[in-house]
Amino acid sequence: KRCQTMKFPSRILIVNLCVYVVLATPSDDFLQCMTQRRLADNIILPSSPSYLTSIAGNWVSNVGANPVAFYEPTNVKGIRGAFTCAKQIGQGVCPRNGGHSKMGAGLCDGIVIDLFRINGTKMNAAGTAVSVWGGTIQGQVVYELATFYRGKPDPKFVPTGECPQVGISGFMLGGGLTEFDGRFGIGCDNIGSWRGFFLK
């Protein structure tokens, strides 16, 4: 706020001119960039009521990070847009799927891309392989496989850890240690293929 008093020859007229300068924050810049791309749904800013809840949702939430924003994409287009906007405003990005990183990697001072809305499984026709979206948690994978194989002979399963809330993508990227290692190998040994995309 900057104010300047101007006095005129008249003895009764004193004019105060005040100029208010509003500085945009990185959170505002991210929201504006995403809005321009029509991707502003599911963005949680520091001013949002659910902001602190989103931080506490990380298994290790005391890493001292203050995210510029949380973004919950529903498709690949949203992920690309978030990376583009983060780069445009000079902010880093960290992904989160379940939030169980023991290093607190699901939180950062930049943009947290929470993948939980991109979830689900799809079994192939032969019932021998399952496609899993990156935001799926282990409990969902186990439940949907059990539902698919209910009453069928020779059911299959995916080696997972003990905690149902752990994200399957982070679990596999970390190798995937389970109680079934000796018989079925670690989790990543059971990946037939994976699909990703490159960001420029």
Side-chain angles (χ1 to χ4, degrees):
K1 176 181 177 182
R2 297 179 181 178
C3 296
Q4 181 178 0
T5 300
M6 299 181 65
K7 295 184 178 181
F8 294 90
S10 170
R11 295 181 180 179
I12 62 172
L13 183 60
I14 298 178
V15 180
N16 282 325
L17 296 178
C18 296
V19 178
Y20 291 85
V21 179
V22 179
L23 299 176
T25 66
S27 300
D28 297 329
D29 293 338
F30 180 72
L31 178 60
Q32 180 181 5
C33 181
M34 293 294 281
T35 300
Q36 291 172 347
R37 287 168 170 74
R38 298 182 180 180
L39 296 170
D41 294 335
N42 308 317
I43 293 178
I44 300 173
L45 302 177
S47 58
S48 305
S50 56
Y51 180 78
L52 293 180
T53 303
S54 296
I55 291 178
N58 226 57
W59 191 60
V60 178
S61 59
N62 61 346
V63 294
N66 296 294
V68 167
F70 289 87
Y71 177 54
E72 302 166 355
T74 58
N75 51 43
V76 172
K77 180 181 178 182
I79 298 175
R80 289 184 183 275
F83 270 89
T84 299
C85 286
K87 182 179 180 180
Q88 180 175 312
I89 66 174
Q91 295 294 323
V93 171
C94 60
R96 181 165 78 173
N97 171 217
H100 282 73
S101 167
K102 293 183 178 180
M103 300 179 294
L107 287 177
C108 62
D109 289 326
I111 310 300
V112 177
I113 299 182
D114 197 329
L115 298 171
F116 81 95
R117 293 182 185 273
I118 306 178
N119 69 80
T121 63
K122 183 179 180 181
M123 186 66 63
N124 69 349
T128 56
V130 60
S131 298
V132 182
W133 284 99
T136 312
I137 57 175
Q138 293 184 144
Q140 182 180 354
V141 175
V142 172
Y143 174 79
E144 293 186 6
L145 288 181
T147 300
F148 177 84
Y149 285 112
R150 183 176 295 139
K152 297 179 181 179
D154 194 25
K156 307 290 191 301
F157 80 106
V158 173
T160 64
E162 297 177 351
C163 181
Q165 296 300 320
V166 170
I168 194 71
S169 56
F171 171 76
M172 292 296 185
L173 286 172
L177 301 177
T178 78
E179 286 75 14
F180 306 103
D181 295 352
R183 184 172 181 183
F184 300 105
I186 59 178
C188 65
D189 291 332
N190 293 273
I191 297 177
S193 63
W194 65 276
R195 183 174 63 180
F197 58 90
F198 292 98
L199 296 164
K200 295 182 180 179

